[in-house]
Amino acid sequence: MLRIFKTRETITKIQQRQISEFIIEKLIFLSGLASVLFVILIFVFLLKEGVSLFKTVSLKDFLIGKFWYPISDPPRFGVLPLLMGSLWVTLGAVLIAVPLGLGCAIFIGQIVPRSLRDYFKAGVELLAAIPSVVLGFVGLVTLVPLVRHLFHLRSGLTVLSGSLMLAFMAMPTIVSIIEDAFNAVPKSYREGSFALGATQWQTIYRVLIPAAAPGILAGVMLGMGRVIGETMAVMMITGNAAILPKSFFDPARTMTATIAAEMGEAVRGSSHYFALFAIGIVLFLITFLVNLVADFVLHRKK
Amino acid sequence: MKIKVEDLHVYYGSIHALKGISMEIRRNEILGAIGPANSGKTSFLRTLNRLNDLELHVRMEGQVLMDGEDIQKINVSLLRKRIGMVFALPLPLPLSIFDNVAYGPRMHGIHKKKELADIVEKSLKASYLWEEVKDRLSSSAFKLSGGQQQRLCIARTLAVEPEVILFDEPCSGLDPISTAKVEEAMLELKEKYTLVLVTNNTKQAARVSDRVAFFLMGELVEVDGTSKIFTNPRDNRTGEYITGRFG
Amino acid sequence: MIISPRHTQKIAFSLLSLCTVLVIAPVFVIIALIVIRGGPGISWEFLTAMPRMGMKAGGIFPAIVGTLYLVSVTMLFAIPFGVLAAVYLVEYARDHALKRFVEVAIVNLAGVPSIVFGLFGLGLFVVFLKMGTSILAGALTLAIMTLPVIITSTKEALSTVPRSFREVSLSLGATGWQTIRHAVLPNALPGILTGIVLGLSRAAGETAPVLFTVAAFYLPRLPHSFFDQVMVLPYHLYVLSTQVPNVKPEVQYGTALVLVGMVLILNLFAVIIRARFRRRKQW
């Protein structure tokens, strides 16, 4: 065979390749670590701006202050009504979303014939694709008047409307993670149960759900994380009153909505501006914790 | 002598896969490596071109010298260019026939059309595939039969002009006729290359190798001329394996 | 009265199917509503004209262009970083602890509320790096937000490429990067594209991260450079539905339809790429 490769030439080429190889490997490594860097950067920048608030407002006043009057004189920066707003809306959403999501996941993953399964899944994925501002808009023109009429309220802009919409928006996350959890249950469990003469429902109820419990929990938590962080839809349909809600029929203002609604008017470098970042810290910490625990639950299982 | 292996140990985590292998591989011979499953023959092969480096938690002791040079000290790309490999299953890349063969040369910086075409033609001729595919070089490699695919893989290996070619059970997925063609190609190749053939098929080792090494549980039991191994092995275990008492 | 297990099952399954209907039916109702009520609002003028009369009339051209512009720049940043990060995790990372650490970071990045990304973008890009409210600042913010989507699907795509492709390429003397570039990435391309398209659709629909980093309330002209503000569709819809009184429904629904249409077409693309790839896959 003809010697096409001249050894010396090959060696130079290999040396050249080694240099570019070195550079690209470093680049890949840096990109890999970039996500870590970004998470840290996010936290650092929230802290950097948020902590300035505590030069003028004590941490205690911020955390348990009952009044959020950012532009009164003197301003009050109590995050409690906003925190409670977020929690009420989240609680409502979770109460609605968990049974519904669990039922939907069981139905799609376990009961629907295999040939139809993908269509149902596509339906749920379609929901994930709709931008939250669109859902907020649709909620505003359909759900809000509906809630008002059904419960004879003065306004439909309530915690309930927000919870309903957010439960709906959390569905793709909850359904897909619970479905995965069911799929991860070993086949032998199911077969063992059938072999004992249990019906399909008994098997689901007594075997599958307990076995998949950690995954279900993780799904619920991640769904909750999604709900707490949701901004646009919730801002458009919960009424945005910074008061401590007493029922699901009261309006509420969440932390996310507060940031979104007020940052535009807050003067850079003012206490108000810093306070909005401080809310960001609270939000970040809550979702960080939720995600960390959910991830831990998901991975411990393996 | 082309390759010299000195007291080679390979560990995968806590598994001691190769236990003190010492042997020589001579220039322009076909060395057959036989032994039951998990005897270490494939690990041995993958140590020679350092494909073992890809495994997690792999550790190697001892030395492998090629032309007197420690393979750990040769640039790994250059080493793998010099020591080619044909895998157990035909593994064409999802490319055309031409691009499969031209893959290696391109990686080594050859991009001129004419040059590549020459290499592809010569390589395919050397693996006895040229006549069958010369009219459809641009069609997908997956359209070839299993035997043709394996000869394509041989051509692909030849295209980077290796000095040694490692065959890892190259006929395990092939029918007898395709096997015969691959074996024919191997016998032709040893004129120019040094071949190491790992095989589960002792008869194949007998048909094509000049010398045979018998591996058992990570040890090299013996290595000797093919006729010696098959008629009068030094170690009982070799005889037992060959006559089919275990393995 | 004792109910037999068969009956219990029947009741349970009806309830479960009801759950599913309650989740899926509204999706189609929403889309149908937007299409039916928004359809009449769509016209050539609506798509290509500047807004007029305080956005109550005219078109949404600058918002469409702004969204496209913003999303393109976003992808310019997100694609290389995202793909390389996935390459790191699948092909290079050997240190298990570090790999796990990075994966946890990605999960958390994916979980950061979109409004917090907005704050971050404001703090880092707009103020600290002095980019101002600009396409650049918005795109960088959105890029970081989309990274997890791209990384996750690229990772999945890379791990479907058989290990043997890598071994073959390496055994021919290709270097690690050559192997990835020529034997792995081309075969993971459909999966990667799917991820990119999904990331794109996510970026196009997000409002909260762009609120303080790029979005203009009303700016009836096209951007001149990276440092311009732009109108974007999602924010425009928000403005039309809550900030401007007496906007005609067909303008609101029409805007929603354009946004949903854009996002759904992108998702449809992703589905098609995936399906075609499954059919053509040869290994």
Side-chain angles (χ1 to χ4, degrees):
Chain A
M1 191 178 257
L2 236 172
R3 285 276 147 188
I4 292 167
F5 288 100
K6 296 175 194 82
T7 313
R8 182 166 303 159
E9 209 174 284
T10 308
I11 290 175
T12 356
K13 271 180 187 156
I14 281 182
Q15 281 167 342
Q16 286 165 359
R17 274 195 314 184
Q18 263 181 315
I19 298 169
S20 55
E21 189 81 359
F22 177 82
I23 296 169
I24 193 84
E25 265 179 32
K26 288 288 163 278
L27 217 67
I28 288 172
F29 181 67
L30 288 179
S31 307
L33 293 193
S35 300
V36 179
L37 176 76
F38 291 141
V39 173
I40 295 171
L41 269 182
I42 290 173
F43 192 53
V44 165
F45 270 86
L46 292 179
L47 271 186
K48 175 176 165 293
E49 307 281 13
V51 162
S52 304
L53 174 73
F54 303 114
K55 286 178 199 151
T56 52
V57 180
S58 76
L59 185 62
K60 192 178 132 228
D61 285 345
F62 174 68
L63 286 180
I64 58 170
K66 283 189 192 143
F67 303 100
W68 178 265
Y69 299 144
I71 43 178
S72 68
D73 193 23
R76 309 277 293 269
F77 296 110
V79 82
L80 199 61
L82 316 177
L83 187 65
M84 292 314 288
S86 285
L87 291 184
W88 270 90
V89 173
T90 304
L91 177 75
V94 169
L95 286 178
I96 302 163
V98 171
L100 220 54
L102 187 61
C104 189
I106 293 174
F107 190 77
I108 294 178
Q110 308 299 320
I111 299 173
V112 164
R114 208 164 274 277
S115 54
L116 294 176
R117 196 165 293 168
D118 280 350
Y119 294 99
F120 280 89
K121 278 191 181 176
V124 178
E125 276 173 32
L126 191 60
L127 172 55
I130 303 177
S132 87
V133 69
V134 172
L135 291 174
F137 165 66
V138 172
L140 189 65
V141 293
T142 58
L143 187 63
V144 170
L146 187 72
V147 167
R148 190 169 77 96
H149 282 295
L150 277 181
F151 300 98
H152 307 291
L153 304 170
R154 261 189 304 134
S155 160
L157 298 165
T158 57
V159 172
L160 182 66
S161 315
S163 292
L164 280 168
M165 186 47 88
L166 286 179
F168 188 53
M169 292 174 76
M171 230 28 101
T173 312
I174 296 183
V175 171
S176 75
I177 291 177
I178 294 182
E179 237 203 281
D180 288 348
F182 281 136
N183 288 334
V185 175
K187 250 201 173 117
S188 55
Y189 285 33
R190 212 166 309 183
E191 283 158 3
S193 170
F194 284 138
L196 293 171
T199 62
Q200 200 182 350
W201 169 242
Q202 284 171 325
T203 306
I204 290 169
Y205 185 66
R206 293 182 191 274
V207 180
L208 244 76
I209 293 181
I216 296 174
L217 182 68
V220 171
M221 295 197 67
L222 289 176
M224 215 168 84
R226 173 96 214 266
V227 168
I228 296 176
E230 213 328 288
T231 310
M232 295 316 289
V234 93
M235 171 157 76
M236 291 161 83
I237 61 183
T238 51
N240 286 333
I243 52 162
L244 286 165
K246 294 188 185 62
S247 86
F248 285 111
F249 300 114
D250 283 340
R253 158 172 262 195
T254 63
M255 297 185 284
T256 50
T258 308
I259 301 173
E262 294 178 8
M263 188 51 95
E265 277 101 58
V267 179
R268 257 170 228 173
S270 68
S271 307
H272 189 193
Y273 176 84
F274 295 136
L276 295 176
F277 272 93
I279 299 175
I281 299 176
V282 177
L283 260 177
F284 180 83
L285 289 179
I286 293 175
T287 50
F288 191 80
L289 213 66
V290 166
N291 279 295
L292 218 55
V293 174
D295 191 64
F296 177 73
V297 171
L298 273 181
H299 278 84
R300 195 191 47 154
K301 209 165 35 115
K302 290 173 191 165
Chain B
M1 184 182 54
K2 185 69 187 170
I3 292 177
K4 188 173 166 62
V5 181
E6 287 171 349
D7 195 26
L8 174 70
H9 291 263
V10 170
Y11 304 83
Y12 300 113
S14 58
I15 300 163
H16 196 170
L18 286 179
K19 303 166 184 167
I21 310 292
S22 298
M23 68 187 297
E24 290 172 1
I25 299 169
R26 294 172 192 161
R27 210 175 284 277
N28 296 2
E29 75 167 348
I30 299 184
L31 176 80
I34 59 171
N38 292 323
S39 58
K41 53 192 197 305
T42 296
S43 298
F44 174 68
L45 205 65
R46 293 167 70 96
T47 307
L48 297 182
N49 69 347
R50 288 178 56 189
L51 218 50
N52 256 348
D53 292 8
L54 303 181
E55 307 296 331
L56 281 175
H57 312 297
V58 70
R59 196 156 53 84
M60 180 190 140
E61 287 165 12
Q63 250 190 345
V64 179
L65 304 172
M66 178 164 65
D67 295 334
E69 212 180 337
D70 186 346
I71 61 163
Q72 297 294 330
K73 294 190 179 120
I74 303 176
N75 172 292
V76 68
S77 299
L78 186 58
L79 174 77
R80 290 185 186 139
K81 181 195 159 304
R82 291 171 65 188
I83 304 185
M85 187 169 203
V86 176
F87 293 84
L89 294 168
L91 292 172
L93 294 168
L95 301 168
S96 71
I97 295 172
F98 184 94
D99 289 336
N100 259 282
V101 182
Y103 185 90
R106 279 185 176 135
M107 293 303 109
H108 293 283
I110 295 178
H111 292 292
K112 287 194 198 104
K113 265 207 169 134
K114 177 79 180 65
E115 229 172 313
L116 283 173
D118 281 349
I119 297 176
V120 169
E121 181 175 342
K122 285 190 183 82
S123 308
L124 285 170
K125 277 181 175 158
S127 69
Y128 296 99
L129 191 60
W130 176 250
E131 290 304 321
E132 293 162 54
V133 301
K134 63 180 179 191
D135 302 324
R136 47 177 175 140
L137 289 175
S138 57
S139 74
S140 163
F142 286 101
K143 292 206 178 115
L144 298 175
S145 72
Q148 288 175 323
Q149 286 187 5
Q150 195 58 306
R151 278 178 284 143
L152 175 71
C153 293
I154 295 175
R156 186 174 62 190
T157 307
L158 296 177
V160 293
E161 298 185 348
E163 297 156 32
V164 180
I165 306 175
L166 311 173
F167 289 86
D168 183 7
E169 301 177 24
C171 301
S172 56
L174 303 185
D175 62 83
I177 295 170
S178 307
T179 301
K181 282 190 175 168
V182 170
E183 286 177 7
E184 191 190 340
M186 278 194 273
L187 287 169
E188 194 71 28
L189 291 173
K190 78 170 183 179
E191 302 296 318
K192 293 179 191 120
Y193 308 93
T194 304
L195 272 57
V196 184
L197 166 68
V198 160
T199 177
N200 273 325
N201 179 345
T202 43
K203 288 194 192 109
Q204 180 174 52
R207 281 196 298 268
V208 298
S209 348
D210 297 298
R211 293 190 307 140
V212 171
F214 174 56
F215 285 82
L216 186 62
M217 298 174 78
E219 285 173 46
L220 174 63
V221 176
E222 63 179 301
V223 49
D224 218 327
T226 305
S227 57
K228 178 87 175 14
I229 289 275
F230 279 92
T231 53
N232 186 17
R234 254 177 299 163
D235 197 294
N236 285 341
R237 291 172 293 174
T238 314
E240 282 171 9
Y241 176 72
I242 287 165
T243 51
R245 243 172 275 167
F246 68 87
Chain C
M1 192 183 83
I2 297 164
I3 306 170
S4 80
R6 290 254 143 251
H7 276 105
T8 327
Q9 166 152 326
K10 233 180 201 164
I11 296 165
F13 281 11
S14 340
L15 284 174
L16 294 177
S17 58
L18 183 69
C19 287
T20 311
V21 170
L22 282 176
V23 172
I24 294 180
V27 183
F28 292 96
V29 172
I30 290 172
I31 292 175
L33 183 74
I34 293 173
V35 171
I36 291 166
R37 302 211 51 189
I42 304 279
S43 64
W44 184 244
E45 195 211 344
F46 186 68
L47 297 176
T48 58
M50 293 291 164
R52 280 182 288 115
M53 293 169 61
M55 295 180 273
K56 284 175 200 160
I60 54 169
F61 188 54
I64 295 177
V65 172
T67 294
L68 293 177
Y69 204 146
L70 183 65
V71 180
S72 317
V73 182
T74 299
M75 286 298 135
L76 216 61
F77 294 116
I79 293 171
F81 267 112
V83 171
L84 288 185
V87 166
Y88 169 74
L89 286 169
V90 178
E91 311 286 338
Y92 281 91
R94 301 198 110 188
D95 179 344
H96 184 75
L98 183 62
K99 186 177 165 185
R100 186 83 192 90
F101 188 61
V102 173
E103 281 171 346
V104 170
I106 292 168
V107 167
N108 276 299
L109 197 61
V112 170
S114 53
I115 189 71
V116 173
F117 276 108
L119 284 180
F120 166 66
L122 172 67
L124 174 61
F125 300 121
V126 177
V127 177
F128 187 74
L129 296 177
K130 300 194 171 66
M131 293 176 191
T133 316
S134 62
I135 290 175
L136 191 60
L140 285 167
T141 310
L142 283 175
I144 294 175
M145 198 196 69
T146 1
L147 264 189
V149 182
I150 296 181
I151 294 178
T152 313
S153 51
T154 304
K155 259 175 71 182
E156 233 168 79
L158 290 175
S159 43
T160 59
V161 176
R163 184 189 154 109
S164 59
F165 288 11
R166 299 171 174 88
E167 293 197 343
V168 163
S169 171
L170 291 171
S171 81
L172 292 167
T175 61
W177 171 247
Q178 282 182 319
T179 297
I180 290 164
R181 168 74 187 74
H182 297 283
V184 181
L185 284 180
N187 297 302
L189 200 59
I192 297 174
L193 280 179
T194 310
I196 290 174
V197 172
L198 290 179
L200 222 115
S201 115
R202 168 118 199 254
E206 275 292 352
T207 318
V210 300
L211 277 177
F212 339 121
T213 52
V214 49
F217 186 83
Y218 178 58
L219 189 69
R221 63 172 175 84
L222 298 184
H224 299 305
S225 81
F226 277 1
F227 295 98
D228 268 359
Q229 278 188 295
V230 281
M231 291 177 79
V232 290
L233 277 173
Y235 182 56
H236 188 59
L237 176 59
Y238 169 71
V239 167
L240 289 182
S241 50
T242 61
Q243 309 290 302
V244 185
N246 305 324
V247 180
K248 275 181 284 177
E250 62 258 35
V251 175
Q252 295 174 333
Y253 277 103
T255 308
L257 178 58
V258 172
L259 178 57
V260 168
M262 209 185 237
V263 166
L264 290 192
I265 286 171
L266 284 172
N267 277 269
L268 192 68
F269 258 125
V271 171
I272 292 172
I273 295 169
R274 225 177 336 187
R276 282 191 53 163
F277 175 58
R278 275 198 199 132
R279 222 174 335 126
R280 267 193 24 223
K281 200 159 153 177
Q282 293 159 308
W283 59 84

